[in-house]
Amino acid sequence: MTLSLVLLALIVGASLWLVLSPLGAAAPSDPDAPERERLSNERDRLYRELDTLTDERRRPDLERRAALTLRAL
């Protein structure tokens, strides 16, 4: 009887440890965060450049680059 209670306690303890240990671990870092940040900065830079554009001949190239950046995001 005592052995079965000790065994039950060990099983319950191990089960709780297996279930709760991932909850206490830190969330994994996002491996895509640096690339997403770079693309967001590039998008913002291109939009600022389009807003202040004085040479309309550059507009198609800037719009194409902005569209490619958005697609990559």
Coordinates of all heavy atoms in Angstrom, one line a residue:
M1 N 0.8 -1.2 0.0 CA 0.0 0.0 0.0 C 0.9 1.3 0.0 O 0.6 2.2 -0.8 CB -0.9 0.0 1.2 CG -1.8 1.2 1.4 SD -3.1 1.1 0.2 CE -4.1 2.5 0.8
T2 N 1.9 1.3 0.8 CA 2.8 2.4 0.9 C 3.6 2.6 -0.4 O 3.7 3.7 -0.8 CB 3.7 2.3 2.1 OG1 3.0 2.1 3.3 CG2 4.6 3.5 2.3
L3 N 4.0 1.5 -0.9 CA 4.8 1.5 -2.2 C 3.9 2.1 -3.3 O 4.4 2.9 -4.1 CB 5.3 0.1 -2.5 CG 6.1 0.0 -3.8 CD1 7.4 0.9 -3.6 CD2 6.5 -1.4 -4.1
S4 N 2.6 1.7 -3.3 CA 1.8 2.2 -4.4 C 1.5 3.7 -4.3 O 1.4 4.4 -5.2 CB 0.5 1.4 -4.5 OG -0.3 1.6 -3.3
L5 N 1.4 4.2 -3.0 CA 1.2 5.6 -2.8 C 2.5 6.4 -3.2 O 2.4 7.5 -3.8 CB 0.8 5.9 -1.3 CG -0.6 5.5 -0.9 CD1 -0.8 5.7 0.6 CD2 -1.6 6.2 -1.7
V6 N 3.6 5.9 -2.9 CA 4.9 6.5 -3.3 C 5.0 6.5 -4.8 O 5.4 7.6 -5.4 CB 6.1 5.8 -2.6 CG1 7.4 6.3 -3.2 CG2 6.0 6.0 -1.1
L7 N 4.7 5.4 -5.4 CA 4.7 5.4 -6.9 C 3.7 6.3 -7.5 O 4.1 7.0 -8.5 CB 4.5 3.9 -7.3 CG 4.7 3.6 -8.8 CD1 6.1 4.0 -9.2 CD2 4.4 2.2 -9.1
L8 N 2.5 6.4 -7.0 CA 1.5 7.3 -7.5 C 2.0 8.8 -7.3 O 1.9 9.6 -8.2 CB 0.2 7.1 -6.7 CG -0.9 8.1 -7.1 CD1 -1.3 7.9 -8.6 CD2 -2.1 7.9 -6.2
A9 N 2.6 9.1 -6.2 CA 3.1 10.5 -5.9 C 4.2 10.8 -6.9 O 4.3 11.9 -7.5 CB 3.6 10.6 -4.5
L10 N 5.1 9.8 -7.2 CA 6.2 10.0 -8.2 C 5.6 10.3 -9.6 O 6.1 11.1 -10.3 CB 7.1 8.9 -8.2 CG 8.1 8.8 -7.0 CD1 8.9 7.5 -7.1 CD2 9.0 10.0 -7.0
I11 N 4.6 9.5 -10.0 CA 4.0 9.6 -11.3 C 3.3 11.0 -11.4 O 3.4 11.7 -12.4 CB 3.0 8.5 -11.6 CG1 3.8 7.2 -11.7 CG2 2.2 8.8 -12.8 CD1 3.0 5.9 -11.8
V12 N 2.6 11.4 -10.4 CA 1.9 12.7 -10.4 C 2.9 13.8 -10.4 O 2.8 14.8 -11.2 CB 0.9 12.8 -9.2 CG1 0.4 14.2 -9.0 CG2 -0.2 11.8 -9.3
G13 N 4.0 13.7 -9.6 CA 5.0 14.7 -9.6 C 5.7 14.9 -11.0 O 5.9 16.0 -11.5
A14 N 6.0 13.7 -11.6 CA 6.7 13.8 -12.9 C 5.7 14.3 -13.9 O 6.1 15.1 -14.8 CB 7.1 12.3 -13.3
S15 N 4.5 14.0 -13.9 CA 3.5 14.5 -14.8 C 3.3 16.0 -14.7 O 3.3 16.7 -15.7 CB 2.1 13.8 -14.6 OG 2.2 12.4 -14.8
L16 N 3.2 16.5 -13.5 CA 3.1 17.9 -13.3 C 4.4 18.6 -13.8 O 4.3 19.7 -14.4 CB 2.9 18.2 -11.8 CG 1.5 18.0 -11.3 CD1 1.4 18.1 -9.8 CD2 0.5 18.9 -12.0
W17 N 5.5 18.0 -13.5 CA 6.8 18.7 -13.9 C 6.8 18.7 -15.5 O 7.2 19.8 -16.1 CB 8.0 17.9 -13.4 CG 9.3 18.4 -13.9 CD1 9.9 19.6 -13.5 CD2 10.1 17.9 -14.9 NE1 11.0 19.7 -14.2 CE2 11.2 18.7 -15.1 CE3 10.0 16.7 -15.7 CZ2 12.2 18.5 -16.0 CZ3 11.0 16.5 -16.6 CH2 12.1 17.4 -16.8
L18 N 6.4 17.7 -16.1 CA 6.4 17.6 -17.6 C 5.4 18.6 -18.2 O 5.7 19.2 -19.3 CB 6.1 16.2 -18.1 CG 7.2 15.2 -18.0 CD1 6.7 13.8 -18.4 CD2 8.4 15.6 -18.9
V19 N 4.3 18.8 -17.5 CA 3.3 19.7 -18.1 C 3.6 21.2 -17.8 O 3.5 22.1 -18.6 CB 1.9 19.4 -17.5 CG1 0.9 20.5 -17.7 CG2 1.4 18.1 -18.0
L20 N 4.2 21.5 -16.6 CA 4.4 22.9 -16.1 C 5.8 23.4 -16.6 O 5.9 24.6 -16.6 CB 4.2 23.0 -14.6 CG 2.8 22.7 -14.1 CD1 2.8 22.7 -12.6 CD2 1.8 23.6 -14.7
S21 N 6.7 22.6 -16.8 CA 8.1 23.1 -17.1 C 8.1 23.9 -18.4 O 8.8 25.0 -18.5 CB 9.1 22.0 -17.2 OG 8.8 21.1 -18.2
P22 N 7.4 23.6 -19.5 CA 7.4 24.5 -20.7 C 6.7 25.8 -20.4 O 7.1 26.8 -21.0 CB 6.6 23.7 -21.7 CG 6.7 22.3 -21.3 CD 6.7 22.3 -19.8
L23 N 5.8 25.9 -19.5 CA 5.1 27.1 -19.2 C 6.0 28.1 -18.5 O 5.9 29.3 -18.7 CB 3.9 26.9 -18.3 CG 2.8 26.0 -18.9 CD1 1.7 25.8 -17.9 CD2 2.2 26.7 -20.2
G24 N 7.0 27.6 -17.7 CA 7.9 28.5 -17.0 C 9.1 28.9 -17.9 O 9.8 29.9 -17.6
A25 N 9.3 28.3 -19.0 CA 10.4 28.7 -19.9 C 10.1 30.0 -20.6 O 8.9 30.3 -20.9 CB 10.6 27.5 -20.9
A26 N 11.1 30.7 -21.0 CA 10.9 31.9 -21.7 C 10.4 31.6 -23.1 O 10.8 30.6 -23.7 CB 12.2 32.7 -21.7
A27 N 9.7 32.5 -23.7 CA 9.2 32.4 -25.0 C 10.4 32.4 -26.0 O 11.3 33.2 -25.8 CB 8.2 33.5 -25.4
P28 N 10.4 31.6 -27.0 CA 11.5 31.6 -27.9 C 11.6 32.9 -28.7 O 10.5 33.5 -29.0 CB 11.3 30.4 -28.8 CG 9.8 30.1 -28.7 CD 9.4 30.6 -27.3
S29 N 12.7 33.4 -29.0 CA 12.8 34.6 -29.8 C 12.4 34.4 -31.2 O 12.5 33.3 -31.7 CB 14.3 35.1 -29.7 OG 15.1 34.2 -30.4
D30 N 11.9 35.4 -31.8 CA 11.4 35.3 -33.2 C 12.6 35.4 -34.1 O 13.3 36.5 -34.2 CB 10.5 36.5 -33.5 CG 9.8 36.4 -34.8 OD1 10.1 35.5 -35.6 OD2 9.1 37.4 -35.2
P31 N 12.9 34.4 -34.9 CA 14.1 34.4 -35.8 C 13.9 35.3 -37.0 O 14.9 35.8 -37.6 CB 14.2 32.9 -36.2 CG 12.9 32.4 -36.1 CD 12.2 33.1 -34.9
D32 N 12.7 35.7 -37.3 CA 12.4 36.6 -38.4 C 12.4 38.1 -38.0 O 12.2 38.9 -38.9 CB 11.1 36.2 -39.1 CG 11.2 34.8 -39.7 OD1 12.3 34.4 -40.1 OD2 10.1 34.2 -39.8
A33 N 12.5 38.4 -36.8 CA 12.3 39.7 -36.3 C 13.3 40.7 -36.9 O 12.9 41.8 -37.4 CB 12.4 39.8 -34.8
P34 N 14.6 40.4 -37.0 CA 15.6 41.3 -37.6 C 15.2 41.6 -39.1 O 15.3 42.8 -39.5 CB 16.9 40.7 -37.5 CG 16.8 39.7 -36.4 CD 15.3 39.2 -36.5
E35 N 14.9 40.6 -39.8 CA 14.6 40.8 -41.3 C 13.3 41.6 -41.4 O 13.2 42.5 -42.3 CB 14.5 39.5 -42.0 CG 14.1 39.6 -43.4 CD 15.2 40.2 -44.3 OE1 16.3 40.4 -43.8 OE2 15.0 40.5 -45.4
R36 N 12.3 41.3 -40.6 CA 11.0 42.1 -40.6 C 11.3 43.5 -40.3 O 10.7 44.4 -40.9 CB 10.0 41.4 -39.7 CG 8.6 42.0 -39.8 CD 7.6 41.2 -39.1 NE 8.0 40.6 -37.8 CZ 8.2 39.3 -37.7 NH1 8.0 38.4 -38.7 NH2 8.5 38.8 -36.5
E37 N 12.1 43.8 -39.3 CA 12.5 45.2 -38.9 C 13.2 45.9 -40.0 O 12.9 47.0 -40.3 CB 13.4 45.1 -37.6 CG 13.7 46.5 -37.1 CD 12.6 47.3 -36.6 OE1 11.6 46.6 -36.1 OE2 12.6 48.5 -36.6
R38 N 14.1 45.2 -40.7 CA 14.8 45.8 -41.8 C 13.9 46.1 -43.0 O 13.9 47.2 -43.5 CB 15.9 44.9 -42.3 CG 16.8 45.5 -43.4 CD 17.7 44.4 -44.0 NE 17.0 43.5 -44.9 CZ 16.5 43.7 -46.1 NH1 16.6 44.9 -46.6 NH2 15.9 42.8 -46.8
L39 N 12.9 45.2 -43.3 CA 12.0 45.5 -44.3 C 11.0 46.6 -44.0 O 10.6 47.4 -44.8 CB 11.2 44.2 -44.6 CG 12.0 43.1 -45.4 CD1 11.2 41.8 -45.4 CD2 12.4 43.5 -46.8
S40 N 10.6 46.7 -42.7 CA 9.7 47.7 -42.3 C 10.4 49.1 -42.4 O 9.8 50.1 -42.8 CB 9.3 47.5 -40.8 OG 8.5 46.4 -40.7
N41 N 11.7 49.1 -42.0 CA 12.4 50.4 -42.2 C 12.6 50.8 -43.6 O 12.5 52.0 -44.0 CB 13.8 50.3 -41.5 CG 13.7 50.2 -40.0 OD1 12.7 50.6 -39.4 ND2 14.7 49.6 -39.4
E42 N 12.9 49.8 -44.5 CA 13.0 50.1 -45.9 C 11.7 50.6 -46.5 O 11.6 51.5 -47.3 CB 13.5 48.8 -46.6 CG 13.5 48.9 -48.1 CD 14.7 49.8 -48.6 OE1 15.5 50.2 -47.8 OE2 14.7 50.1 -49.8
R43 N 10.6 49.9 -46.1 CA 9.2 50.4 -46.5 C 9.0 51.8 -46.1 O 8.5 52.6 -47.0 CB 8.2 49.4 -45.9 CG 6.7 49.9 -46.3 CD 5.7 49.3 -45.4 NE 6.0 49.7 -44.0 CZ 5.6 49.1 -42.9 NH1 4.9 48.0 -43.0 NH2 5.9 49.6 -41.7
D44 N 9.2 52.1 -44.9 CA 9.0 53.5 -44.4 C 9.9 54.5 -45.1 O 9.4 55.6 -45.5 CB 9.3 53.6 -42.9 CG 8.3 52.8 -42.1 OD1 7.2 52.4 -42.6 OD2 8.6 52.5 -40.9
R45 N 11.1 54.1 -45.4 CA 12.0 55.0 -46.1 C 11.5 55.3 -47.6 O 11.5 56.4 -48.1 CB 13.4 54.4 -46.2 CG 14.5 55.3 -46.8 CD 15.8 54.6 -47.1 NE 15.7 53.6 -48.1 CZ 15.7 53.8 -49.4 NH1 15.7 55.1 -49.9 NH2 15.6 52.8 -50.3
L46 N 11.1 54.2 -48.2 CA 10.6 54.3 -49.6 C 9.3 55.2 -49.6 O 9.1 56.0 -50.5 CB 10.3 53.0 -50.2 CG 11.5 52.1 -50.6 CD1 11.1 50.7 -50.9 CD2 12.3 52.8 -51.7
Y47 N 8.4 55.0 -48.6 CA 7.2 55.8 -48.6 C 7.5 57.3 -48.3 O 6.9 58.2 -48.9 CB 6.2 55.3 -47.5 CG 5.5 54.1 -47.9 CD1 4.7 53.4 -47.0 CD2 5.4 53.6 -49.2 CE1 4.0 52.3 -47.4 CE2 4.7 52.5 -49.6 CZ 4.0 51.9 -48.7 OH 3.3 50.8 -49.0
R48 N 8.5 57.6 -47.5 CA 8.9 58.9 -47.2 C 9.5 59.5 -48.5 O 9.2 60.7 -48.9 CB 9.9 59.0 -46.1 CG 9.4 59.0 -44.7 CD 10.4 59.4 -43.7 NE 11.7 58.6 -43.8 CZ 11.9 57.4 -43.2 NH1 10.9 56.9 -42.5 NH2 13.0 56.8 -43.3
E49 N 10.3 58.8 -49.2 CA 10.9 59.2 -50.5 C 9.8 59.5 -51.5 O 9.9 60.5 -52.3 CB 11.9 58.2 -51.0 CG 12.9 58.8 -52.0 CD 14.0 57.9 -52.2 OE1 14.4 57.0 -51.4 OE2 14.6 58.0 -53.4
L50 N 8.8 58.6 -51.6 CA 7.7 58.8 -52.5 C 6.9 60.1 -52.2 O 6.4 60.8 -53.0 CB 6.8 57.6 -52.5 CG 7.2 56.5 -53.4 CD1 6.4 55.2 -53.1 CD2 7.1 56.8 -54.9
D51 N 6.7 60.3 -50.9 CA 5.9 61.5 -50.4 C 6.6 62.8 -50.8 O 6.0 63.8 -51.0 CB 5.7 61.5 -48.9 CG 4.6 60.5 -48.5 OD1 3.8 60.1 -49.4 OD2 4.5 60.1 -47.4
T52 N 8.0 62.8 -50.8 CA 8.7 64.0 -51.0 C 9.4 64.0 -52.4 O 10.3 64.8 -52.7 CB 9.8 64.2 -50.0 OG1 10.7 63.1 -50.0 CG2 9.2 64.3 -48.6
L53 N 8.8 63.2 -53.3 CA 9.4 63.0 -54.6 C 9.3 64.3 -55.5 O 8.2 64.9 -55.5 CB 8.7 61.9 -55.3 CG 9.4 61.4 -56.6 CD1 10.8 60.8 -56.4 CD2 8.5 60.3 -57.2
T54 N 10.4 64.7 -56.1 CA 10.3 65.9 -57.0 C 10.5 65.5 -58.4 O 10.0 66.1 -59.3 CB 11.4 66.9 -56.6 OG1 12.7 66.3 -56.6 CG2 11.1 67.5 -55.2
D55 N 11.2 64.4 -58.6 CA 11.5 63.9 -60.0 C 10.6 62.7 -60.3 O 10.8 61.6 -59.8 CB 13.0 63.4 -60.1 CG 13.3 63.0 -61.5 OD1 12.5 63.2 -62.4 OD2 14.4 62.4 -61.6
E56 N 9.5 63.0 -61.0 CA 8.5 62.0 -61.3 C 9.0 60.8 -62.1 O 8.4 59.7 -62.2 CB 7.3 62.6 -62.0 CG 6.4 63.5 -61.1 CD 5.8 62.7 -60.0 OE1 5.3 61.5 -60.2 OE2 5.8 63.2 -58.9
R57 N 10.2 60.9 -62.7 CA 10.7 59.8 -63.5 C 11.2 58.7 -62.6 O 11.3 57.5 -63.0 CB 11.9 60.3 -64.3 CG 11.5 61.2 -65.5 CD 12.7 61.7 -66.2 NE 13.5 62.6 -65.3 CZ 14.7 63.0 -65.5 NH1 15.3 62.6 -66.6 NH2 15.3 63.7 -64.6
R58 N 11.4 59.0 -61.3 CA 11.8 58.0 -60.4 C 10.7 57.2 -59.7 O 10.8 56.2 -59.1 CB 12.7 58.6 -59.2 CG 14.0 59.2 -59.7 CD 14.9 59.6 -58.6 NE 15.1 58.5 -57.7 CZ 15.2 58.6 -56.4 NH1 15.0 59.7 -55.8 NH2 15.4 57.5 -55.7
R59 N 9.5 57.7 -59.9 CA 8.3 57.2 -59.2 C 8.1 55.7 -59.6 O 7.9 54.9 -58.7 CB 7.0 58.0 -59.6 CG 5.8 57.4 -58.9 CD 4.6 58.3 -59.0 NE 4.7 59.6 -58.3 CZ 4.6 59.8 -57.0 NH1 4.2 58.8 -56.3 NH2 4.7 61.0 -56.5
P60 N 8.1 55.3 -60.8 CA 7.8 53.8 -61.1 C 8.8 52.9 -60.4 O 8.4 51.9 -59.9 CB 8.0 53.7 -62.6 CG 7.7 55.1 -63.1 CD 8.2 56.0 -62.1
D61 N 10.1 53.3 -60.4 CA 11.1 52.4 -59.7 C 10.9 52.4 -58.2 O 10.9 51.3 -57.6 CB 12.5 53.0 -60.0 CG 13.6 52.1 -59.3 OD1 13.5 50.9 -59.5 OD2 14.4 52.7 -58.6
L62 N 10.6 53.5 -57.6 CA 10.3 53.6 -56.2 C 9.0 52.8 -55.8 O 9.0 52.1 -54.8 CB 10.2 55.0 -55.7 CG 11.5 55.8 -55.6 CD1 11.2 57.3 -55.3 CD2 12.4 55.2 -54.6
E63 N 8.0 52.9 -56.6 CA 6.7 52.2 -56.4 C 7.0 50.7 -56.5 O 6.4 49.9 -55.8 CB 5.7 52.6 -57.3 CG 5.1 54.0 -57.0 CD 4.1 54.5 -58.0 OE1 4.0 53.9 -59.1 OE2 3.4 55.5 -57.6
R64 N 7.8 50.3 -57.5 CA 8.1 48.9 -57.7 C 8.9 48.3 -56.5 O 8.5 47.3 -55.9 CB 8.9 48.6 -59.0 CG 9.3 47.2 -59.3 CD 10.2 47.0 -60.4 NE 11.5 47.7 -60.2 CZ 12.5 47.2 -59.5 NH1 12.3 46.1 -58.9 NH2 13.6 47.9 -59.3
R65 N 9.8 49.1 -56.0 CA 10.6 48.6 -54.9 C 9.7 48.6 -53.6 O 9.9 47.7 -52.8 CB 11.8 49.6 -54.7 CG 12.9 49.3 -55.7 CD 14.0 50.3 -55.7 NE 14.5 50.7 -54.4 CZ 15.2 51.8 -54.2 NH1 15.4 52.6 -55.2 NH2 15.7 52.0 -53.0
A66 N 8.8 49.5 -53.5 CA 7.9 49.5 -52.3 C 7.0 48.3 -52.4 O 6.7 47.7 -51.4 CB 7.1 50.8 -52.3
A67 N 6.5 48.0 -53.6 CA 5.6 46.8 -53.7 C 6.4 45.5 -53.4 O 5.9 44.6 -52.7 CB 5.1 46.8 -55.1
L68 N 7.6 45.4 -53.8 CA 8.4 44.2 -53.5 C 8.7 44.1 -52.1 O 8.7 43.0 -51.5 CB 9.7 44.3 -54.3 CG 9.6 44.1 -55.8 CD1 10.9 44.3 -56.5 CD2 9.1 42.7 -56.2
T69 N 8.9 45.2 -51.4 CA 9.2 45.2 -50.0 C 7.9 44.8 -49.2 O 8.0 44.0 -48.3 CB 9.6 46.6 -49.5 OG1 10.8 47.0 -50.2 CG2 9.9 46.7 -48.0
L70 N 6.8 45.3 -49.6 CA 5.5 44.9 -49.0 C 5.3 43.4 -49.2 O 4.8 42.7 -48.3 CB 4.4 45.7 -49.5 CG 4.2 47.1 -49.0 CD1 3.1 47.8 -49.7 CD2 3.9 47.1 -47.5
R71 N 5.5 42.9 -50.4 CA 5.3 41.5 -50.6 C 6.3 40.7 -49.8 O 5.9 39.6 -49.3 CB 5.6 41.2 -52.1 CG 5.2 39.8 -52.5 CD 5.3 39.5 -54.0 NE 4.6 40.5 -54.7 CZ 5.0 41.0 -55.9 NH1 6.1 40.6 -56.4 NH2 4.3 41.9 -56.5
A72 N 7.5 41.1 -49.5 CA 8.4 40.4 -48.7 C 8.0 40.4 -47.2 O 8.3 39.5 -46.5 CB 9.8 41.0 -48.8
L73 N 7.3 41.4 -46.8 CA 6.8 41.5 -45.4 C 5.8 40.4 -45.2 O 5.6 39.8 -44.3 CB 6.3 42.9 -45.1 CG 7.3 43.9 -44.7 CD1 6.7 45.3 -44.5 CD2 8.0 43.5 -43.3

